[in-house]
Amino acid sequence: MAKKLLDEQDRNILDGLAKDARISNRKIAADLGITEGTVRSRIKRMENEGQVRITAMTNIARLRNPTLAYIWVEVERSAQCDDVAKQLAEVPEIGFVGKMLGRFDILAITLVQDNAELARFLHSKITGLSGVRRTECSLGVNFVKHDYRMSRIVDA
């Protein structure tokens, strides 16, 4: 079965869910002038096709000592980028892995409590991976804006 591309109606439904994932299908339908069944079936299709996943997200501003660690990874050879990214994606503590353009090949993001925990994590989980040439870290210490809607799928 071919996956359907997200259309304007799908994006409007996702906009409603991005603001509040607990919003009822009835409320979304009323806001958009469509039926509740249409909203329900479109959400179900998008979930089944892997286009959207509805989940709870931790508000990092509410954690006691939140420190987001941005781990920039340079691979030994560009041909190893996919393999290293897959290895990083399998590490449970890492919440984001992306292949990048620029100075580094990969960005991995994790949440740590302090620098000592970050050092232990890097040495035990990252630097020993096959294909990793070097890493550099940046720590997020003051979050001016964190818009959870940025996590939604954007159909180009």
Side-chain angles (χ1 to χ4, degrees), residues 36-64:
E36 183 180 355
T38 298
V39 172
R40 186 174 44 258
S41 66
R42 283 177 175 258
I43 291 171
K44 183 177 173 93
R45 175 187 44 79
M46 289 186 283
E47 285 178 312
N48 289 342
E49 292 180 359
Q51 294 171 315
V52 65
R53 181 180 60 173
I54 299 171
T55 185
M57 295 178 68
T58 303
N59 182 348
I60 61 171
R62 300 289 186 198
L63 297 176
R64 190 166 38 123

Side-chain angles (χ1 to χ4, degrees), residues 72-129:
W72 302 92
V73 180
E74 181 181 334
V75 299
E76 292 173 352
R77 293 185 317 275
S78 59
Q80 294 173 298
C81 196
D82 286 341
D83 185 51
V84 171
K86 287 177 186 173
Q87 290 179 71
L88 289 167
E90 291 174 5
V91 176
E93 297 89 348
I94 294 177
F96 172 90
V97 175
K99 295 192 302 181
M100 310 301 285
L101 293 175
R103 183 174 175 188
F104 289 92
D105 302 301
I106 299 169
L107 170 62
I109 302 175
T110 190
L111 189 63
V112 296
Q113 291 299 315
D114 54 38
N115 291 342
E117 182 182 350
L118 176 58
R120 281 190 300 275
F121 178 73
L122 285 172
H123 295 303
S124 68
K125 303 278 180 135
I126 307 297
T127 58
L129 293 177

